[in-house]
Amino acid sequence: MNANSTKFSQTLHQAATPFWQKSIHHPFITELASGKLPLTTFRYYLTQDTKYLAAFEQLHERTAALLPQSQGDLLLKLAAGSGEDDQRNPMLEQMNLSLEEIQKAPIAPNNYAYITHMEHQLSIDPAAAVAGLLPCYWLYDEIADYWKNQTSPVPVYQAFFDSYQTVGFDTSTQQLIDLVNELAAAGDETVRQQMMTAFLRSSSYELGFWQMAYTHQTWSDMINNPA
């Protein structure tokens, strides 16, 4: 494709639509919106997502070290300034979920695979690593936008949706989209294909994350129900 004729992010978005539509309408999300999701399931999600976010921040830092300074500085700024911790910590408090309890919990298979996938992109190309980070921003932004007109009757569930409707999160998402477009325009077709692969695989793992939380996935599940 000609990277200058269409924004590469639009091509990524279109390719990931099947994954994203399933994420937006996954039972985990629809039951969050309706208030029907068991609190134990949301607690499991928060435990795994907090583990994921710690690795996600480190991935920003490791990717930044491979980029030109101005691009790397942007990733470091996004890692430090997304405000996600500020939004997340009150939810952990409402769920009486301590960081010590989260640290002791084993990482779930899909969570482990998602993080490992993004670490692998560091050995492929920095542009692929950046593309692999983007679905976590962009998909959550779209989920929050899709459900913005429905108020969950469970306050902590509504806080989840509200946390991704802030101006700061919207700005961070757009800045990362712009960086992906910049890297795609500077790269050749091989690089753009690597970026596409990373983006789609991250989108797949995002969908798997909802299912992982919905079923309280454990490692014994991998033995009893191999994929």
Side-chain angles (χ1 to χ4, degrees), residues 91-189:
M91 292 185 226
L92 298 180
E93 292 175 5
Q94 289 181 63
M95 298 298 294
N96 195 28
L97 187 55
S98 69
L99 292 179
E100 181 181 7
E101 183 177 350
I102 291 170
Q103 289 169 355
K104 288 182 178 179
I107 190 168
N110 185 84
N111 197 4
Y112 176 84
Y114 191 1
I115 292 168
T116 302
H117 144 68
M118 290 193 292
E119 289 175 339
H120 175 64
Q121 302 312 309
L122 295 167
S123 67
I124 301 297
D125 190 275
V130 175
L133 298 173
L134 182 55
C136 187
Y137 286 80
W138 203 355
L139 175 60
Y140 274 66
D141 193 53
E142 292 214 347
I143 287 173
D145 186 63
Y146 181 88
W147 291 100
K148 66 183 178 182
N149 293 323
Q150 179 166 336
T151 300
S152 176
V154 180
V156 71
Y157 294 173
Q158 186 58 40
F160 167 85
F161 288 109
D162 290 344
S163 66
Y164 297 103
Q165 293 185 48
T166 64
V167 173
F169 191 76
D170 285 344
T171 299
S172 295
T173 300
Q174 188 57 56
Q175 287 176 328
L176 193 55
I177 290 171
D178 291 343
L179 178 56
V180 164
N181 285 326
E182 182 180 331
L183 291 168
D188 59 18
E189 189 61 30

Side-chain angles (χ1 to χ4, degrees), residues 16-147:
T17 294
F19 294 117
W20 288 25
Q21 284 301 306
K22 288 184 178 180
S23 283
I24 290 171
H25 299 285
H26 192 278
F28 181 92
I29 297 297
T30 61
E31 291 180 20
L32 268 182
S34 68
K36 295 180 180 179
L37 189 77
L39 286 170
T40 53
T41 300
F42 191 59
R43 185 182 181 87
Y44 176 101
Y45 165 80
L46 287 176
T47 298
Q48 293 299 322
D49 199 49
T50 301
K51 289 178 173 294
Y52 168 85
L53 290 174
F56 196 58
E57 182 175 349
Q58 293 175 3
L59 283 160
H60 280 66
E61 294 168 357
R62 293 173 64 186
T63 305
L66 302 176
L67 293 168
Q69 184 171 352
S70 61
Q71 295 174 340
D73 286 348
L74 172 60
L75 274 191
L76 294 177
K77 179 182 176 182
L78 293 178
S82 67
E84 201 157 5
D85 286 344
D86 293 338
Q87 301 286 344
R88 182 56 54 88
N89 288 338
M91 292 185 226
L92 298 180
E93 292 175 5
Q94 289 181 63
M95 298 298 294
N96 195 28
L97 187 55
S98 69
L99 292 179
E100 181 181 7
E101 183 177 350
I102 291 170
Q103 289 169 355
K104 288 182 178 179
I107 190 168
N110 185 84
N111 197 4
Y112 176 84
Y114 191 1
I115 292 168
T116 302
H117 144 68
M118 290 193 292
E119 289 175 339
H120 175 64
Q121 302 312 309
L122 295 167
S123 67
I124 301 297
D125 190 275
V130 175
L133 298 173
L134 182 55
C136 187
Y137 286 80
W138 203 355
L139 175 60
Y140 274 66
D141 193 53
E142 292 214 347
I143 287 173
D145 186 63
Y146 181 88
W147 291 100

